[in-house]
Amino acid sequence: MTYLTMEPRDEADYFDAPAIPTVVVRVTDYPMAQMPQLFDRAFSALYPALAREGIEVGGPAFSLHSRMPTETADLEVGVPVVSALTHYLEVGEVTLLPSTLPPGPVAVTSYHGGYEGLAGAWGDFMEAVGASGRSPDLPFWEVYVSEPSPKADPATLRTDLYTSLR
């Protein structure tokens, strides 16, 4: 079990995170308006490929941002794994790469609700981190604790927000 499966946090919490091996789809300058297509393509390739490789998924899906998004983003979309992938995998037009969620000091909080509320949740979270006297740093990531589905009630969705700290 990793910190990615912790109980929800109603307020910002702080701890030293260990590195977690991951398998990801990495994109650069990806249009923010096309995020749903990226997620669909990435996860449709990831889960079957990892099963074929005999690599066990170690927690919920995530997206990790290596810079502040504008109209585009540089990010990794993937899953933590129990044992690291040692090579890349080509799955159709998708390349799966080994990576890690970074070690070091982090802040975390949980957001409950639909994805349209994430921007506001991030603003509140960054404000709380700053008010604590800590400084957020890159990268930052979202962990999709609740698996979304077309039939899901948005109020039941949980997304954990993480940021590295300076």
Side-chain angles (χ1 to χ4, degrees), residues 52-99:
R52 281 192 303 275
E53 293 287 316
I55 295 176
E56 183 180 349
V57 173
F62 68 89
S63 63
L64 179 139
H65 293 258
S66 56
R67 71 167 169 89
M68 292 301 294
T70 55
E71 294 294 314
T72 64
D74 296 349
L75 71 151
E76 294 181 350
V77 176
V79 293
V81 291
V82 173
S83 57
L85 181 69
T86 59
H87 54 284
Y88 71 91
L89 296 171
E90 295 289 341
V91 181
E93 297 179 13
V94 176
T95 302
L96 304 178
L97 304 167
S99 190

Side-chain angles (χ1 to χ4, degrees), residues 105-131:
V106 299
V108 61
T109 195
S110 298
Y111 164 70
H112 299 275
Y115 296 121
E116 68 282 349
L118 279 170
W122 273 108
D124 293 346
F125 178 44
M126 291 296 109
E127 188 176 305
V129 171

